[in-house]
Amino acid sequence: MARGKFRIYLGAAPGVGKTYAMLSEAHRRVERGTDCVVAFLEHHNRPRTEVMLHGLEQIPRKELEYRGSVFTEMDVDAVLARHPQLALVDELAHTNIPGSRNAKRWQDVEELLAAGIDVVSTVNIQHLESLGDTVESITGVRQQETVPDEVVRRADQIELVDMSPQALRRRMAHGNIYKADKVDAALSNYFRPGNLTALRELALLWVADRVDAYLTEYRSEHRVSKIWGSRERIVVGLTGGPEGRTLIRRAARLAEKGAGGEVLAVYIARSDGLTNASPKELPVQRTLVEDLGGTFHHVIGDDVSSALLDFARGVNATQIVLGVSRRRGWQYVFGPGVGATVARESGPDLDVHLITHDEAGKGRGLPVARGARLGRVRIIWGWLAGMAGPALLTLLLTNVDADLGLANDMLLFLTLTVAAALLGGLLPALASAAFGSFLLNYYFTLPLHRLTIADPKNIVALVVFFAVAVSVASVVDLAARRTHQAARLRAESEILSFLAGSVLRGETSLEALLERMRETFGMESVALLERQSDVTPWICAGSVGPQPCQYPEDADVDMPVGDHMALALSGRVLPASDRRILAAFAAQAAVVLDRQRLQSEADQAKELAEGNRIRTALLAAVSHDLRTPLAGIKAAVSSLRSDDVAWSEEDQAELLKAIEEGADRLDHLVGNLLDMSRLQTGTVAPLIREIDLDEVVPMALGGVPEDSVELDIPETLPMVAVDPGLLERSVANLVENAVKYSPADERVLVAASAMADRVEVRVVDRGPGIPDEAKDRIFEPFQRYGDAPRGAGVGLGLAVARGFAEAMGGTLNAEDTPGGGLTMVLTVPAASDR
């Protein structure tokens, strides 16, 4: 059965109209004859959204009972049984009630898609998992209901529902989103223009990245080599010289002029040694480009101009930034230079910027090395100089009436042989020496135009000429090959230096290392394969690129790494000279994989160590704090059972009261220990429902004297979306802690207020307070501040309170009370935010 199509309406902020847009799409589909049902939808009592439901079939919700209350969720079985063509599922990031078919609604959607049902859903940008920290830093609200980014990325269509901050605030002011009593608080907090602008930018950038991935995939599938300037991508060509910093900063300024601009710095390491990178300068430039938000790339290429253009077209760049050449004027006789060549061959779709700098025209630090890996053009010129040159020289000397003498003629022919060696290497030079010897014998030694030699001295001269020509050609070729080897080793050492440095610093993940490998060798995909033994199947430990190889024998290049690990590269066959550096890459990949696994094991060991610390503290608590109330209970019971003392009714009542107080204290301590154990093991499953604070907070005051607390809970507060039991325990712990440290004549204030989409409960005491550096430490388990007596508890009350608050999607923090004391601020989400 074919998988269903998945479409998502992504909202830039709450209230932009994503649910309305989904319903509008449903009506359009129904008009075209599509079988469409509403599987789940929340209209939040918004009239315009509620009207859009008219005319659409709705699947009845499934009722679930949890902790004595009834809740409704999407009935997945009913939707599968109905099997429509299209199902509407609102609020993709929603967490289902415990006992549901799946924990999250997006998992319900996956079942519908697997059954061949098309799904249209909605989600806000703040609910994406990867943006949780960013959204919290902007709005001050941590979103507890999230959906993995990959689930949204897999959607066949993503449509952004956007609205300007000003228009959204007008909708809010008109009462189209929240009720009138919540509008002012919302506009002054969550819906501030700055918050909305930041959320809008997050949504636009996230969707832009997704569109960019679609574009890259399309260009790859359709083999589009022409650059499409959909967004500004600026490639900076680095030589490793000091001018690189200027080029990077200039490229960053160019990128800032266009929204979403991206800077990619690339260093082309030429195997023929035509670049002279400073080993100190490149790391500095790499750090600079990364600090400016760009990326650094290291590529090997025989032709710098072609490699740079291939890289730019491969990443769909729109601009190239190069520095004006550092070569001196006379050095241009060897060619126009990289900048001019790139500008000439870039084409109309790729702009090239040549940036002036202080090093322009000052020459390179080292002499230019001539390589032995010669191109076809140079080899042709070598053969022309070695064969056509002697023929033309012979024609010239035989038609000019000038007797230069045999010695001078040999020197002219020897010059052509050396030129052939410099241009084309050893073979053209040897051919030139042989051909020149023949021409000298035939045209310039007596008897002329015959292959015999009359004067024995001329025989010696010709033999010496041939030997000198061969020797010079061999020396020139050997020097060129040595230069090539040195240049290649230098390029390899630079790559290995960068590689080893980043790996040792722990800055490179396995995927990043494999991507660097794919980029360096110009491969299509790279995969690291491993297996447990020689008979077990291969598994992929990490891969980059499309369609990575699953077996080493399927790869164009495979590199064993130990006995049971191998690198598999596809794209082209590498020369033997590249396998040495590939082996180094393979060894580093194994090291990175081992380090990642060791890091995972270290994290697990850290968790175990934390668990041991908790257990040690628990044993200490049991050995002392729990024994104290037990000792008091036992003493009171022993006194009551004593036969030799006649207790009065008042004494008996006092002893029974001591027993009751000790039992209550013991129950409280054990409850906190059990709650902390649940938090440590992650088994706290809050049942979120809407409730008024005045139904919960008064119940939390049962453990303190009646006249020790003052309540200020306005009746106009919105309902909160919490677990009533967890909220009651959190407030009870906060109040008991405040009463414990407050002066006897000062009452603890418990006040509540609405702040945009959240409600704050403030527990204010007039105790001694605590310094700022200890405000976070008091929330750690088994921590008691100051000189609290051992019998005052095990130090879990505040830790349990914060754990329960975070489990409900809230926060708990400590602040100074104006005038002295400590204020605990418990923040929980308002019901309208869900």
Side-chain angles (χ1 to χ4, degrees), residues 172 202 216 339 512 558 661 689 730 770 833:
M172 174 71 70
L202 281 179
T216 302
D558 69 284
E661 291 177 350
R689 65 184 181 92
S730 297
I770 59 174
D833 190 46

Side-chain angles (χ1 to χ4, degrees), residues 4-195:
K5 299 295 184 181
F6 191 20
R7 180 171 183 171
I8 292 179
Y9 285 94
L10 179 65
V16 295
K18 60 186 183 303
T19 303
Y20 190 93
M22 180 179 68
L23 291 172
S24 299
E25 174 65 18
H27 281 287
R28 287 193 293 269
R29 298 277 188 99
V30 171
E31 291 175 0
R32 295 198 300 264
T34 302
D35 181 16
C36 175
V37 301
V38 178
F40 188 93
L41 188 136
E42 287 286 358
H43 53 72
H44 298 290
N45 296 321
R46 295 169 184 168
R48 296 185 180 182
T49 305
E50 193 171 0
V51 168
M52 292 295 292
L53 283 170
H54 296 168
L56 298 176
E57 178 185 350
Q58 300 185 51
I59 300 295
R61 299 186 183 184
K62 184 177 182 180
E63 294 186 350
L64 295 172
E65 183 176 351
Y66 185 72
R67 292 186 177 180
S69 301
V70 177
F71 303 89
T72 60
E73 293 287 359
M74 181 174 67
D75 193 339
V76 180
D77 292 324
V79 179
L80 292 174
R82 172 66 173 76
H83 205 280
Q85 290 178 271
L86 175 66
L88 306 185
V89 181
D90 201 10
E91 297 184 353
L92 185 65
H94 173 74
T95 300
N96 293 329
I97 295 297
S100 300
R101 183 188 187 98
N102 296 302
K104 303 287 288 187
R105 184 164 293 162
W106 64 263
Q107 295 171 325
D108 297 336
V109 169
E110 287 293 326
E111 286 197 39
L112 301 183
L113 294 172
I117 301 174
D118 295 345
V119 176
V120 177
S121 187
T122 64
V123 69
N124 279 332
I125 190 67
Q126 67 263 28
H127 292 294
L128 294 181
E129 182 68 40
S130 66
L131 300 178
D133 294 337
T134 304
V135 172
E136 183 180 12
S137 66
I138 294 171
T139 65
V141 179
R142 181 69 181 187
Q143 298 294 334
Q144 298 299 318
E145 292 192 332
T146 60
V147 59
D149 290 46
E150 186 59 30
V151 174
V152 182
R153 289 194 185 99
R154 288 200 303 263
D156 299 279
Q157 297 182 56
I158 301 175
E159 183 170 335
L160 178 65
V161 183
D162 185 25
M163 184 177 291
S164 69
Q166 295 77 12
L168 184 56
R169 285 172 59 84
R170 283 196 300 270
R171 288 195 64 194
M172 174 71 70
H174 293 160
N176 295 331
I177 300 176
Y178 293 155
K179 295 180 180 179
D181 58 341
K182 303 177 182 178
V183 170
D184 291 339
L187 290 175
S188 61
N189 290 276
Y190 192 90
F191 285 82
R192 293 194 301 268
N195 287 2

Side-chain angles (χ1 to χ4, degrees), residues 331-663:
Q331 291 177 311
Y332 282 96
V333 300
F334 297 108
V338 173
T341 304
V342 170
R344 184 181 67 248
E345 299 179 0
S346 62
D349 52 356
L350 187 57
D351 297 335
V352 178
H353 301 266
L354 291 178
I355 309 300
T356 58
H357 50 84
D358 294 337
E359 302 297 322
K362 292 184 177 181
R364 298 182 182 274
L366 296 175
V368 177
R370 303 302 298 252
R373 181 172 290 182
L374 306 175
R376 180 179 300 178
V377 175
R378 286 192 58 183
I379 293 177
I380 292 174
W381 277 105
W383 282 102
L384 288 176
M387 303 302 292
L392 293 175
L393 179 60
T394 300
L395 182 63
L396 177 64
L397 293 177
T398 54
N399 287 279
V400 174
D401 188 13
D403 187 7
L404 299 178
L406 183 60
N408 291 325
D409 294 337
M410 287 185 176
L411 288 176
L412 292 174
F413 277 93
L414 182 60
T415 302
L416 292 175
T417 301
V418 172
L422 293 173
L423 290 172
L426 182 59
L427 290 180
L430 293 178
S432 177
F435 188 44
S437 299
F438 167 76
L439 294 177
L440 285 171
N441 181 21
Y442 192 79
Y443 288 102
F444 300 100
T445 58
L446 298 175
L448 299 179
H449 307 300
R450 296 181 63 181
L451 295 179
T452 58
I453 301 175
D455 189 349
K457 296 180 180 179
N458 292 336
I459 297 177
V460 176
L462 288 175
V463 171
V464 171
F465 165 78
F466 184 78
V468 170
V470 171
S471 300
V472 171
S474 301
V475 170
V476 171
D477 182 72
L478 179 62
R481 285 190 286 111
R482 291 289 185 266
T483 302
H484 164 69
Q485 292 172 2
R488 181 168 183 84
L489 289 174
R490 183 177 62 189
E492 292 179 358
S493 65
E494 290 170 353
I495 292 178
L496 293 177
S497 175
F498 279 118
L499 179 65
S502 59
V503 169
L504 290 175
R505 290 190 300 268
E507 299 173 352
T508 303
S509 64
L510 180 60
E511 288 71 20
L513 180 62
L514 296 180
E515 178 62 29
R516 174 65 61 82
M517 195 182 314
R518 185 177 74 89
E519 196 175 76
T520 299
F521 295 103
M523 308 301 286
E524 293 181 359
S525 65
V526 180
L528 181 62
L529 308 176
E530 64 174 347
R531 58 182 178 180
Q532 299 298 324
S533 65
D534 294 336
V535 296
T536 55
W538 290 95
I539 59 174
C540 183
S543 65
V544 293
Q547 299 179 348
C549 299
Q550 301 299 319
Y551 303 96
E553 53 267 22
D554 296 338
D556 294 318
V557 180
D558 69 284
M559 173 62 65
V561 188
D563 296 331
H564 302 122
M565 189 177 292
L567 269 177
L569 299 86
S570 62
R572 66 187 181 95
V573 178
L574 292 179
S577 57
D578 287 339
R579 293 187 66 87
R580 180 173 62 248
I581 191 171
L582 179 61
F585 266 106
Q588 293 287 15
V591 170
V592 171
L593 181 61
D594 288 342
R595 191 186 67 230
Q596 288 182 352
R597 290 174 174 171
L598 289 174
Q599 183 63 44
S600 177
E601 293 176 0
D603 293 339
Q604 294 177 4
K606 185 177 180 181
E607 293 178 0
L608 292 175
E610 179 66 17
N612 288 334
R613 188 184 72 84
I614 296 295
R615 282 191 289 271
T616 301
L618 178 60
L619 289 175
V622 171
S623 65
H624 187 282
D625 296 281
L626 296 184
R627 292 176 61 184
T628 301
L630 283 175
I633 294 173
K634 186 177 186 305
V637 171
S638 299
S639 298
L640 287 174
R641 296 188 62 185
S642 176
D643 296 331
D644 55 350
V645 178
W647 300 103
S648 66
E649 292 184 0
E650 294 180 357
D651 292 337
Q652 290 181 3
E654 188 69 23
L655 290 173
L656 290 173
K657 181 180 178 181
I659 293 173
E660 183 178 12
E661 291 177 350

